[in-house]
Amino acid sequence: MSQMPQPARLSACPTCDEPPQAGDRYCDQCGADLAAAAASAAQTPGDRPVPPQLNGAAWSPHPEPEPDDYELAAPAPDGYELAAPAPDGYGQPADPRAAGALGAPEAAPPTETGTPAEIDTGVNASTHTSAATSTGSMAGTGTGAGPRLPGGEHRPRCAACQEGTIDQDGYCERCGHAQARERDHMESELEGIAAASDRGLRHHRNEDAFAVSAAELPDGSPVMVAVVCDGVSSATRPDDASAAAAHAAGEALRTSLPRGAHPQQAMNEAIVAAAEAVNSLALDTGAAAAHHEGQRHQNAPACTIVSAVVTSDILTIGWVGDSRAYWVPDDRTAPPARLTEDDSWAAQMVAAGLMSEAEAYADERAHAITGWLGADAYELEPHTASYKPDRPGVVVVCTDGLWNYAESAEQMARAVPSDARSRPLNTAQILVGHALDGGGHDNVTVAVVPFPAAPGRAGSA
């Protein structure tokens, strides 16, 4: 996918005089909209408009430039899939170069009713959600008051001045303060599985999304599902893309697994369903982009995806892009493992033997992805792999907003608390905090899935 053209450059932020970094659309210091300011300056030279300030956001005081979330590069010639480990379990870390292939059959259609216990927090209406339910469906797609409500008397009031109303972009029309968005921070928990997501310290919104759920297989044994998606920031509507993908994949897995589908086949179908959901956004991008993206060029919506399905004896991973899954055993004397191989420029360089991992990830092109979900993606190649661990532990499913601060399996294992399997929500919170303490340069999302899925955890709280 081609790069999004950059807006006109400003020599300094018109609000705080902070020099912008290359490619910044928002000021790192005060959050001002640099693209809008540049456009206004181009139309009326010499007249410096004062864009609204962000309110309540914790901006990083560090002056270092912010790395791009994603840049899209040409696809890799061949994707790398992970083979299941040896039958004796995790005696050695998983080898990311062992290959296996699955087809991409038509995805099972998602359903809205009769689903097992679930939380789908792609667009959760609250800042914090913690819930478990034994019947029906509980979806975090609420319609509570938010900063993007249409005009009218019932628009929400500004949290800062308590007088102005909020415009469609989320700013107070009276004092200019940005309002907290419903996705700035989200936490969700079912008994036995949890996830957390945060906007981070440098971005003006959260473009990640997740879905977690618990169900039962036909034999009555439990199964846990976690889906994590990261919107491609250089594309149009990345937040909508990640939300659509997380919801579609979660629904597909919740439909197919209780019917007896093999977890690896169900995972492949779920990724195909997620891709179709993101592709469908491109059909109405022209109408929606003006509302959601302002002056952003209308590249097709796009995101990455990583998902985990955990049963009583098998864990299955699926992914496209560079969001990751890690295995962290309870016994820290046993080796942890990274379960995914990035679809990225850096991974290509390492796999081809052209660079060491340290050299590749230090390069400015490291995060250029070679696989993604979106209408302008090349041929979809879902990666899936199944594992049979010989000991209990947790699967950490996350975006690069976390693994940038705990890249190796050993670093991730050190960040995961020793009681992670019994306290997944606390673990997710700690891991989000780890990323924020490290600088919080990106949105950060993580799901923690204990292995094995214990009986009695699917359904009731």
Side-chain angles (χ1 to χ4, degrees):
M1 188 167 89
S2 60
Q3 295 296 318
M4 183 182 71
Q6 298 298 319
R9 290 289 304 277
L10 293 173
S11 60
C13 173
T15 301
C16 68
D17 290 327
E18 174 76 7
Q21 301 294 334
D24 280 356
R25 296 183 61 84
Y26 294 86
C27 177
D28 289 344
Q29 187 66 30
C30 70
D33 189 335
L34 300 178
S40 298
Q43 294 172 359
T44 57
D47 184 15
R48 287 178 35 151
V50 180
Q53 303 285 312
L54 287 180
N55 179 45
W59 296 97
S60 171
H62 304 294
E64 68 270 21
E66 175 182 355
D68 293 336
D69 292 346
Y70 290 115
E71 296 176 353
L72 300 182
D78 295 297
Y80 292 93
E81 303 208 15
L82 300 179
D88 55 353
Y90 280 83
Q92 299 293 331
D95 179 6
R97 293 177 176 80
L102 269 184
E106 184 178 353
T111 59
E112 294 294 336
T113 59
T115 61
E118 63 166 287
I119 298 177
D120 181 353
T121 55
V123 283
N124 199 311
S126 63
T127 25
H128 174 85
T129 298
S130 178
T133 178
S134 57
T135 59
S137 171
M138 178 175 175
T141 54
T143 56
R148 292 182 178 177
L149 292 180
E153 296 180 358
H154 300 293
R155 284 187 294 171
R157 294 288 178 179
C158 174
C161 69
Q162 300 296 322
E163 295 183 14
T165 55
I166 310 307
D167 65 18
Q168 292 183 342
D169 293 324
Y171 293 97
C172 175
E173 294 177 330
R174 182 179 182 276
C175 69
H177 278 81
Q179 308 300 296
R181 298 172 186 254
E182 59 191 25
R183 288 171 64 174
D184 279 358
H185 187 86
M186 301 177 291
E187 296 178 359
S188 293
E189 181 182 35
L190 290 170
E191 187 175 355
I193 186 172
S197 181
D198 193 271
R199 184 184 68 184
L201 304 181
R202 302 290 292 273
H203 284 272
H204 76 291
R205 67 177 175 188
N206 191 354
E207 295 172 356
D208 290 355
F210 67 82
V212 295
S213 62
E216 287 187 353
L217 299 177
D219 63 0
S221 62
V223 58
M224 301 292 174
V225 172
V227 182
V228 168
C229 297
D230 191 347
V232 176
S233 290
S234 61
T236 299
R237 301 170 62 194
D239 50 340
D240 290 340
S242 63
H247 177 77
E251 285 291 307
L253 289 167
R254 285 190 293 268
T255 299
S256 59
L257 290 170
R259 294 176 178 173
H262 187 281
Q264 204 162 347
Q265 185 68 23
M267 182 70 75
N268 193 87
E269 294 176 353
I271 294 176
V272 172
E276 291 174 348
V278 178
N279 291 350
S280 68
L281 296 177
L283 300 177
D284 63 346
T285 289
H291 175 68
H292 289 294
E293 301 295 326
Q295 300 177 24
R296 176 173 293 203
H297 289 258
Q298 296 177 16
N299 300 326
C303 69
T304 69
I305 186 170
V306 62
S307 183
V309 170
V310 174
T311 68
S312 59
D313 60 348
I314 295 175
L315 68 89
T316 300
I317 306 297
W319 75 98
V320 173
D322 68 347
S323 292
R324 294 181 177 179
Y326 293 82
W327 163 252
V328 179
D330 283 357
D331 179 3
R332 298 305 169 85
T333 64
R338 200 177 99 194
L339 304 178
T340 57
E341 180 71 12
D342 298 344
D343 290 320
S344 71
W345 180 91
Q348 276 190 285
M349 295 299 103
V350 174
L354 300 176
M355 288 184 174
S356 69
E357 189 165 346
E359 291 171 337
Y361 282 99
D363 193 282
E364 63 181 6
R365 295 165 290 182
H367 286 270
I369 57 174
T370 57
W372 63 91
L373 307 183
D376 57 358
Y378 293 87
E379 183 178 357
L380 178 64
E381 296 182 1
H383 309 292
T384 62
S386 290
Y387 301 88
K388 194 169 185 178
D390 64 348
R391 65 198 70 205
V394 295
V395 182
V396 176
V397 185
C398 65
T399 62
D400 65 340
L402 172 60
W403 68 251
N404 275 328
Y405 301 100
E407 187 170 333
S408 70
E410 291 73 21
Q411 289 173 324
M412 185 64 73
R414 286 194 293 270
V416 173
S418 58
D419 60 352
R421 195 159 58 92
S422 61
R423 302 181 67 192
L425 179 58
N426 179 68
T427 300
Q429 293 167 335
I430 288 174
L431 292 175
V432 167
H434 177 80
L436 298 181
D437 290 343
H441 285 85
D442 199 356
N443 307 145
V444 51
T445 300
V446 56
V448 178
V449 192
F451 177 89
R457 281 180 169 170
S460 59

